[in-house]
Amino acid sequence: MTMSMSEVDRLSGRPRIEVRNLTKTFRRVGGEPLTPVDDISLDVGAREMVILVGPSGCGKTTLLRCIAGLERPDSGEIVLDGQLVFSSKKKIFVPPAQRKLSMIFQSFALWPHMSVFENIAYPLESRKVPRPEIAPRVQQVMQMVGIGDLGRQYPGRISGGQQQRVALARALVANATAVLFDEPLSNVDARVREQLRTEMKRMQRQLQFSGLYVTHDQSEAMELGDRIAVLETGRIAALGKPNDVYERPNSEYVATFLGTANIWPGTVTGQGVGGVRITTPVGEMLAAEAAPDGVAAPLATGARKKIIIRPEKIRLSAKPHPEGPNCIQGVVSTRTFTGPFTQYFVQCGDISARVVSMQDSMSEDLSEGDAAYLSIDPRWVRLLPAD
Amino acid sequence: MSDATANESAKLPGLRLQPYSIFAGLLVILILALIAFPIGRMILRAFTVDGHFSFAVVAETLGQEWVPDLLINTITVVVVSTLLSLVIGACMAWLNERTDANLGIAGVVLPILPFLIPSVALAIGWAFIGAPRVGFLNGFLASLPLIGRDGLDLSVNIYTWSGLLWVYTLHGVPYVYLIVSAALRNLDPSLEEASLMNGASLFRTVRKVSFPAIRPALLSSSLLVAISGFALYSLPAILATTARIDILSVHTIRLLRNTYPPRFDQAVVLGLLTLVMVGTIWLLQRKLSAGGRFVSLGGRASASRLMPLGPWRFPARVVMVSYLACASIIPLLALVVVAFQPFWSPNINLSLLTWENFHTILFDNRLTSAAFANSLKLSLIGATLTTAIALTISVYTARHKTWFARVADGLVKAPATISALVISIGFLVTFSGPPFYLGGTLIILALAFIVIYLPSASITVDAAVSQVGDDLWEASHISGAGDGRTVRKVVAPLAVLGLAVGWSIVFVHMMGDLSASALLAGVGSPVIGYAIVEIWDNGSFSQLAAFSTLMCFAITAVVATVIGLARWYGRIG
């Protein structure tokens, strides 16, 4: 891998994967055309892990397969390590075998008739690496991912975690430009998934490969990604660091796809030192930050907005907090204990607010029917345009 | 997502210019030439006189006084035996898939039988059983005390309409069974259970739910039987000739083989007539099955849901076992017994049994020994080439969803509807004379064999290839391997058992082929089918039996070895 590191350094100035205005349309037999990739542009930098996340049918897998060369886009460009591999204008289509990418499949796609060693050696043999160099490199990669002694085993006889390591070793052995992940954890059960995810994260940090990772699981996306791209029907709805996208969602779609959110309509009443004042069905609220990125800064009084508050940012108490703004009165309508946290729905007038309180938080434990006071730090009140 | 969509990815250059695609494309063009050229020559020959378009040849042939009888006989045999095959095959499939009368492993073996026993061996075996006076069944009946020679006359004669229909039906049943049992396996048993729960009797359920739900399978299997029935040569050549029933395929080949000078023109017209009849059935099948794409219904439920037949269980099993015996063990046994007799006799005398016949056909008779060696060589090479071509094209059509791939797929399966007989006539009139001069060589036979048996190989290979998941291909492509390497290293090893089955089917057909062999082989390059026709014409039944026994033995040995090797190889992984 030493060679790959120098290569990484040489190329570090330039993204590993560059996607420019990519579009792919399917014509369903006897039906409406479908555009799972609609004018998408995206970069994956050196040593960076970018996650494509979205509900099924949003086009994330199609985008990944276009980059891999397994699907042929209709228009746009794809550049890998500075080399143009697809361009509709220049009529360039480099087949997948010559793209120098690697991919980890949903099923891992280990060839059952080859031993672990043969599986990992395959990309080197295909790329005509001289025979004497193959065995040491395979050994080295196997050590690296922690399966040094599994070479003679067959994929059917090893555990799911080991299979993932074999798949990773096969993806890394040829020093590919980037590793593409096609929902690799969606077929394993929840407990194993948790473990494999942690493992994957550690490997990526340690080995510093570039990756583009497709998943429909938002928690997986936030845990693994350096950046995440939330896809909505063929377009990127949000792109950024996981906590930015989560804390400052730029649309209701993004806010509700990544976790849960209270979203209430409101009207701007003024702008002052503390932030923006806004009237909502639950009363006057103060939002510390003017607006998320991309929304025009000066807010006209009377402008219609939506406010968005994550349930875990709301503090719940039996008595009112006199000191702060954003204090709302209501009645607990349902309380659900889930172990690490308790979820409440609090009826505040016509609005039902969702509140999540961790076991060890400052919120008080309330019962259904109790009077409740919600208080929210103005920092956690975000404004969104009202469609 | 891409499964449900029409992929339009062929517009840009790139993938299509891979070496693999070029190779596959050349193969497709070669196959196209080998089909279109002979058929074209036949049409040209039938519709021109001295270079001018004319109906004279067709009119002259169809005006012969034997034509009406020929057509009536052929259609009667095919239609009646198809209906009988449908009833028997569908009932057996239902009994085996759905009731507690199922035969377990024998139910698995049943569909494989026709592929292991060439129809010519089936026909000869039944001739030994059912011939008047000398047939074993008649010998047995005569020896019974009450019936005997002096009592009731229960003697049978295979050389009759009923005998011919019986063997045609035995030949047709496995095709129906294969398709119908597969359809039943895909049919959710809860549909039938719902009917039973709603108060319908078992019989009503079968009549109103099970069979209507698999109507497309019933239809397509019976049309398949009809198609193969029209082209069948071996059965009528052995049985119908002696019975003096004039059958289209036999008559056509007689015009070329036993008439001097050969009546090429008439044979070509009869060949085209076969083509038209088979083509009509094929179109009918397409039309009918397109309208009835029944939704396939749920996954296979647990095997425990078998309907209890109660008192009918035992008789049902007896009937199925009897069929198995009639289609395989009994005719094979008859062949073996005659092969060891010094002369064919219904009275089996153990002290007279001898290896002499085997010695004769292997060492003394030049024709049979050469034929055996040639057939073995031809079938081994032919089956390998055919399977390789089928695999190459199957992979190409599976990976490239272009119009060319669709044409290629249709093309390799087309000979099934053109029939062996027609292709053989086409090859005879096209390649035996100038400028090819391939008449009487093994090359013309090899080419004909490949074209004729490509569909059987192709269908099996397609199934095997489709079992290799898309992700395994794609993983190979992503790993830097092109199509060729992916096929060699990933697809072929994983599909090895299916490929071995496809290879075996082709091998058996080539070993037991009669129609192409009768027309295209010659004294200088005899093959098994040619030798069988020769011996049948010139009459040593014991040698014929020994020769057929040897053929079945060789087939069983080779197929067992190949399947065994494939399983062994498959288990390594």
Side-chain angles (χ1 to χ4, degrees):
Chain A
M1 274 284 123
T2 44
M3 182 195 128
S4 91
M5 288 312 296
S6 64
E7 215 171 349
V8 164
D9 291 334
R10 183 170 61 78
L11 293 160
S12 55
R14 171 150 205 169
R16 285 307 184 72
I17 301 175
E18 296 164 76
V19 175
R20 301 271 164 268
N21 305 101
L22 205 68
T23 298
K24 166 81 184 165
T25 301
F26 287 117
R27 281 160 206 84
R28 278 193 187 281
V29 181
E32 293 286 292
L34 201 74
T35 307
V37 179
D38 190 359
D39 198 26
I40 282 185
S41 297
L42 180 72
D43 286 350
V44 178
R47 301 175 215 174
E48 186 187 34
M49 189 76 149
V50 175
I51 314 288
L52 296 173
V53 64
S56 61
C58 71
K60 53 195 190 300
T61 294
T62 308
L63 174 59
L64 193 80
R65 292 172 60 84
C66 285
I67 294 169
L70 298 171
E71 299 280 352
R72 201 183 292 238
D74 299 322
S75 63
E77 282 189 353
I78 300 169
V79 179
L80 300 176
D81 268 346
Q83 188 208 347
L84 192 61
V85 296
F86 172 77
S87 166
S88 52
K89 279 211 191 78
K90 294 179 185 161
K91 295 217 182 289
I92 290 173
F93 178 85
V94 176
Q98 290 153 35
R99 288 199 180 186
K100 295 191 179 119
L101 286 166
S102 59
M103 186 158 168
I104 294 183
F105 290 80
Q106 198 165 26
S107 58
F108 298 141
L110 301 176
W111 299 297
H113 62 297
M114 296 184 199
S115 68
V116 163
F117 184 94
E118 288 167 326
N119 263 284
I120 300 172
Y122 190 91
L124 298 177
E125 286 164 6
S126 304
R127 299 200 161 101
K128 309 266 186 294
V129 172
R131 199 146 279 282
E133 290 175 28
I134 291 179
R137 267 173 83 173
V138 172
Q139 277 303 336
Q140 192 194 354
V141 173
M142 280 175 32
Q143 296 292 345
M144 225 160 62
V145 301
I147 48 165
D149 52 349
L150 285 183
R152 286 166 170 220
Q153 294 291 328
Y154 283 88
R157 309 221 176 107
I158 58 178
S159 72
Q162 289 169 329
Q163 286 181 11
Q164 175 183 296
R165 289 163 183 234
V166 176
L168 193 60
R170 186 176 69 184
L172 294 175
V173 72
N175 295 328
T177 299
V179 183
L180 307 177
F181 297 83
D182 185 11
E183 308 208 31
L185 300 182
S186 62
N187 277 347
V188 290
D189 66 78
R191 201 172 281 275
V192 180
R193 183 161 56 217
E194 197 80 6
Q195 182 196 334
L196 294 184
R197 196 195 280 174
T198 317
E199 182 89 330
M200 186 91 81
K201 172 107 177 165
R202 194 178 61 74
M203 295 269 182
Q204 201 270 331
R205 291 289 177 273
Q206 188 188 329
L207 306 173
Q208 302 201 321
F209 53 84
S210 302
L212 186 60
Y213 189 113
V214 161
T215 179
H216 60 265
D217 181 336
Q218 40 103 2
S219 60
E220 193 171 306
M222 288 194 281
E223 180 173 341
L224 290 176
D226 291 317
R227 284 191 300 154
I228 64 177
V230 182
L231 266 69
E232 181 185 12
T233 57
R235 289 173 170 276
I236 294 179
L239 175 64
K241 293 198 168 110
N243 61 330
D244 286 347
V245 177
Y246 180 77
E247 305 289 9
R248 278 188 281 278
N250 59 359
S251 69
E252 192 173 336
Y253 173 81
V254 174
T256 49
F257 184 77
L258 297 178
T260 53
N262 294 296
I263 297 170
W264 300 324
T267 311
V268 175
T269 51
Q271 210 160 356
V273 191
V276 181
R277 277 191 306 283
I278 188 161
T279 312
T280 72
V282 293
E284 177 101 335
M285 300 285 282
L286 185 68
E289 207 177 1
D293 302 339
V295 177
L299 284 167
T301 302
R304 309 223 2 107
K305 290 283 161 195
K306 274 181 177 166
I307 65 165
I308 157 166
I309 304 158
R310 295 285 184 195
E312 70 277 10
K313 305 294 189 201
I314 302 177
R315 203 171 132 196
L316 199 61
S317 54
K319 293 197 179 78
H321 279 267
E323 70 269 29
N326 297 347
C327 191
I328 307 161
Q329 190 188 350
V331 177
V332 175
S333 59
T334 49
R335 172 185 181 277
T336 316
F337 175 72
T338 67
F341 60 85
T342 306
Q343 176 170 282
Y344 296 91
F345 280 96
V346 179
Q347 199 64 40
C348 313
D350 295 340
I351 297 271
S352 181
R354 186 202 289 260
V355 180
V356 166
S357 86
M358 304 305 291
Q359 284 306 330
D360 194 26
S361 74
M362 283 150 63
S363 292
E364 291 171 48
D365 200 17
L366 299 178
S367 305
E368 287 178 10
D370 287 355
Y373 292 90
L374 317 181
S375 60
I376 306 131
D377 188 316
R379 278 187 300 157
W380 304 126
V381 180
R382 301 279 165 202
L383 291 184
L384 284 178
D387 306 320
Chain B
M1 188 175 294
S2 53
D3 299 352
T5 53
N7 199 326
E8 303 276 318
S9 59
K11 283 175 186 161
L12 295 170
L15 267 179
R16 277 198 297 181
L17 298 173
Q18 299 276 299
Y20 185 91
S21 301
I22 295 170
F23 180 63
L26 288 176
L27 272 182
V28 169
I29 291 165
L30 179 72
I31 301 294
L32 178 66
L34 286 178
I35 296 171
F37 197 39
I39 301 293
R41 280 288 286 263
M42 283 176 74
I43 293 172
L44 211 61
R45 186 144 193 161
F47 290 98
T48 54
V49 173
D50 300 328
H52 298 288
F53 178 78
S54 158
F55 278 114
V57 176
V58 177
E60 192 257 348
T61 306
L62 296 183
Q64 300 286 328
E65 77 278 1
W66 40 259
V67 167
D69 269 354
L70 185 70
L71 290 180
I72 291 169
N73 290 345
T74 309
I75 291 171
T76 308
V77 167
V78 171
V79 170
V80 175
S81 68
T82 299
L83 290 175
L84 289 172
S85 304
L86 179 66
V87 172
I88 298 172
C91 288
M92 292 209 332
W94 181 78
L95 286 171
N96 242 317
E97 288 297 327
R98 283 293 196 264
T99 71
D100 62 352
N102 72 332
L103 295 175
I105 186 69
V108 180
V109 174
L110 185 65
I112 303 168
L113 277 175
F115 306 120
L116 278 181
I117 302 170
S119 50
V120 63
L122 185 72
I124 296 172
W126 273 98
F128 288 148
I129 295 163
R133 291 186 306 283
V134 282
F136 290 116
L137 187 56
N138 287 322
F140 172 74
L141 289 171
S143 71
L144 292 177
L146 271 178
I147 303 162
R149 283 178 209 280
D150 309 318
L152 291 158
D153 183 18
L154 282 184
S155 64
V156 295
N157 183 359
I158 198 76
Y159 302 122
T160 54
W161 270 100
S162 46
L164 193 63
L165 287 171
W166 166 244
V167 183
Y168 260 83
T169 305
L170 285 179
H171 175 264
V173 165
Y175 292 95
V176 177
Y177 181 90
L178 195 69
I179 295 173
V180 173
S181 60
L184 282 172
R185 225 170 292 145
N186 289 333
L187 181 72
D188 190 344
S190 58
L191 289 182
E192 288 155 333
E193 281 165 0
S195 165
L196 291 171
M197 298 299 289
N198 284 311
S201 67
L202 187 58
F203 179 66
R204 190 180 156 80
T205 300
V206 172
R207 203 163 47 90
K208 291 282 181 184
V209 179
S210 310
F211 285 148
I214 55 162
R215 211 177 68 200
L218 296 174
L219 207 66
S220 68
S221 65
S222 48
L223 292 174
L224 184 70
V225 174
I227 286 174
S228 82
F230 271 113
L232 201 56
Y233 171 66
S234 49
L235 294 187
I238 301 294
L239 301 173
T241 317
T242 315
R244 299 190 179 284
I245 299 168
D246 203 10
I247 298 290
L248 184 57
S249 57
V250 183
H251 197 109
T252 312
I253 287 185
R254 200 188 307 130
L255 286 171
L256 295 168
R257 249 184 84 91
N258 307 48
T259 313
Y260 192 82
R263 298 301 305 269
F264 275 110
D265 297 341
Q266 289 189 1
V268 161
V269 173
L270 291 187
L272 290 177
L273 193 63
T274 311
L275 193 60
V276 168
M277 289 203 278
V278 169
T280 311
I281 301 176
W282 182 76
L283 283 177
L284 199 68
Q285 178 189 11
R286 291 282 301 241
K287 205 171 165 62
L288 291 174
S289 61
R293 277 277 152 78
F294 288 50
V295 187
S296 183
L297 316 135
R300 173 84 167 116
S302 64
S304 59
R305 300 193 199 174
L306 294 173
M307 296 181 204
L309 284 187
W312 292 102
R313 185 179 172 191
F314 183 70
R317 278 196 168 160
V318 169
V319 169
M320 285 196 286
V321 170
S322 311
Y323 167 79
L324 278 173
C326 288
S328 57
I329 298 157
I330 292 175
L332 276 184
L333 216 57
L335 279 183
V336 172
V337 169
V338 177
F340 282 102
Q341 285 181 327
F343 52 88
W344 175 14
S345 157
N347 306 312
I348 303 164
N349 186 338
L350 291 177
S351 64
L352 289 177
L353 297 188
T354 167
W355 288 93
E356 189 57 32
N357 296 315
F358 289 98
H359 190 273
T360 308
I361 56 153
L362 274 178
F363 304 108
D364 302 341
N365 187 335
R366 287 251 179 83
L367 176 74
T368 50
S369 55
F372 191 70
N374 279 341
S375 266
L376 208 54
K377 192 167 67 180
L378 196 64
S379 308
L380 287 171
I381 296 172
T384 308
L385 281 176
T386 310
T387 311
I389 294 171
L391 177 64
T392 308
I393 296 176
S394 172
V395 165
Y396 181 80
T397 55
R399 307 309 297 172
H400 301 254
K401 307 249 177 331
T402 59
W403 65 268
F404 185 76
R406 278 195 292 275
V407 168
D409 185 50
L411 190 69
V412 294
K413 298 189 175 65
T417 57
I418 301 174
S419 93
L421 181 64
V422 179
I423 292 170
S424 306
I425 299 170
F427 267 61
L428 188 67
V429 299
T430 308
F431 296 118
S432 57
F436 301 101
Y437 298 108
L438 291 174
T441 64
L442 284 179
I443 292 172
I444 190 172
L445 204 52
L447 288 175
F449 274 1
I450 289 174
V451 172
I452 290 168
Y453 298 116
L454 193 54
S456 317
S458 175
I459 290 165
T460 322
V461 169
D462 278 355
V465 165
S466 70
Q467 280 173 351
V468 179
D470 277 349
D471 51 348
L472 297 181
W473 299 72
E474 290 173 351
S476 174
H477 286 312
I478 294 283
S479 297
D483 279 332
R485 189 183 172 81
T486 303
V487 170
R488 269 184 293 118
K489 293 284 179 176
V490 176
V491 180
L494 285 174
V496 68
L497 195 58
L499 294 179
V501 170
W503 187 95
S504 301
I505 290 171
V506 174
F507 177 79
V508 174
H509 276 120
M510 287 183 178
M511 284 289 280
D513 172 272
L514 219 56
S515 50
S517 305
L519 286 181
L520 298 174
V523 193
S525 60
V527 290
I528 286 178
Y530 179 84
I532 285 178
V533 176
E534 289 287 309
I535 309 176
W536 183 259
D537 287 348
N538 302 319
S540 166
F541 290 113
S542 293
Q543 283 184 27
L544 183 68
F547 196 53
S548 307
T549 304
L550 197 65
M551 168 180 76
C552 289
F553 176 75
I555 286 172
T556 311
V558 170
V559 168
T561 309
V562 167
I563 301 280
L565 280 176
R567 291 189 80 110
W568 173 77
Y569 182 82
R571 207 172 293 148
I572 292 178

